[in-house]
Amino acid sequence: MSQNDNAGPAPWDHSLEDALAGLTSPGPVDLTLRILRHVGISHERYDAYVLLDTDAGGLYAAYSPTAVTGSALESMVVSPEMFEEIHWQRTGRTAIRSTMPFPGLRPALRTGRAKSLPVDLTGLDAHERAVLEAVRTVPKGQLRPVSWIAREADVVDVPGVNGFVTGTLARNPLTLLIPCHRVTYEDGTPCDSAYTPATGRALRSAEGIDMLRLAELFRRGGVLLGSDTTYIYCHPTCAHARRITPPHQRPFRTAAEARGAGYRACRSCRPVSV
């Protein structure tokens, strides 16, 4: 008997195990979608979704063949599985991971201009949809107060209208794509009911909105800003207001005060006339 006959079994070669494991790799991310399409499962039963980079971090965005159906910041959910569960509970459709975003989604996120992006607000009532559609019209880099949103959505007669608007923003199913960070209370304080304050600050900063300048203006009573050369008053973040040089700026507390001083409302930002 040789010396090796008493040595017992040879130790397991872990390098071989590692090499064999390397031969197995996960399937393509889109494989499940390909299979569903191949076997003819109805599109009405599932949505695809992607994870995209934004100024506020990763964004999960789900979509059907015709519209974006839901989105949430990565910081708002603990995992892709949680996003999938939330999407299923809200829409009744399974969300399946993909690598191909909905057409036009990347440019909308990059430019901050998602007003023309098709979205699906199924599950919301007519007033809630009107509020979120009004928010979609607020231009990048500008802010509008809750009263402006209520007027544009034609919900001013809804009982507790301010609470209704802010509550609808908090339930916004299309984070970032419906830019709730562009809505403020009447005193100019950000209405970040759809975001954490840090997220709202990051989004407004990325759009060049100077909240310190606005806070100083509001401290001086300037909810609206007029030009003593054109005699037009605007929301302070309106593109026209930003062109008013400091010597010609005239702050106003209300639209009535501005009209009383002989100023007329900007036709672009259309301040509420109260």
Side-chain angles (χ1 to χ4, degrees):
M1 180 179 293
S2 68
Q3 184 177 356
N4 288 339
D5 290 337
N6 295 322
W12 181 253
D13 187 348
H14 290 287
S15 64
L16 177 61
E17 183 181 48
D18 294 341
L20 290 173
L23 296 176
T24 304
S25 60
V29 172
D30 290 318
L31 180 60
T32 303
L33 288 172
R34 295 177 193 171
I35 293 173
L36 291 174
R37 291 164 185 161
H38 180 74
V39 300
I41 301 298
S42 172
H43 283 297
E44 295 180 356
R45 297 177 60 182
Y46 66 89
D47 290 337
Y49 77 95
V50 292
L51 177 61
L52 301 174
D53 291 329
T54 75
D55 291 322
L59 180 76
Y60 293 108
Y63 58 93
S64 70
T66 58
V68 180
T69 55
S71 60
L73 285 165
E74 196 172 15
S75 60
M76 298 167 66
V77 294
V78 298
S79 66
E81 291 76 20
M82 182 176 178
F83 174 74
E84 294 167 9
E85 177 65 20
I86 292 171
H87 188 76
W88 184 85
Q89 290 178 357
R90 189 177 63 81
T91 66
R93 295 191 298 276
T94 301
I96 300 172
R97 190 71 176 265
S98 177
T99 58
M100 184 66 67
F102 186 81
L105 179 56
R106 284 188 191 277
L109 290 172
R110 184 179 65 252
T111 63
R113 297 178 177 90
K115 183 171 63 174
S116 61
L117 189 73
V119 299
D120 184 351
L121 294 175
T122 300
L124 302 180
D125 66 30
H127 284 154
E128 290 170 328
R129 289 197 298 272
V131 166
L132 295 180
E133 289 292 353
V135 175
R136 294 184 78 196
T137 68
V138 181
K140 177 183 179 181
Q142 298 190 33
L143 303 174
R144 295 291 185 272
V146 167
S147 60
W148 188 95
I149 300 297
R151 183 197 64 189
E152 294 296 295
D154 194 22
V155 296
V156 291
D157 294 328
V158 172
V161 59
N162 287 351
F164 173 77
V165 170
T166 57
T168 300
L169 299 186
R171 295 187 295 275
N172 174 16
L174 289 159
T175 305
L176 294 195
L177 300 174
I178 296 178
C180 294
H181 59 282
R182 299 174 190 165
V183 181
T184 71
Y185 294 105
E186 301 309 304
D187 64 357
T189 303
C191 179
D192 282 333
S193 54
Y195 310 102
T196 65
T199 297
R201 285 194 297 270
L203 292 169
R204 286 184 290 273
S205 177
E207 295 187 10
I209 300 174
D210 187 345
M211 295 304 296
L212 292 178
R213 182 184 70 83
L214 292 175
E216 174 59 22
L217 180 65
F218 293 139
R219 189 188 65 77
R220 291 165 28 215
V223 173
L224 299 168
L225 193 63
S227 165
D228 65 10
T229 58
T230 64
Y231 282 83
I232 294 174
Y233 68 92
C234 309
H235 291 289
T237 55
C238 174
H240 298 293
R242 291 201 299 267
R243 290 197 289 265
I244 305 173
T245 57
H248 297 286
Q249 292 177 357
R250 175 78 182 274
F252 295 105
R253 296 179 184 276
T254 65
E257 181 182 341
R259 291 196 306 274
Y263 287 66
R264 61 181 177 84
C266 172
R267 294 179 180 176
S268 177
C269 67
R270 306 183 315 283
V272 174
S273 58
V274 292

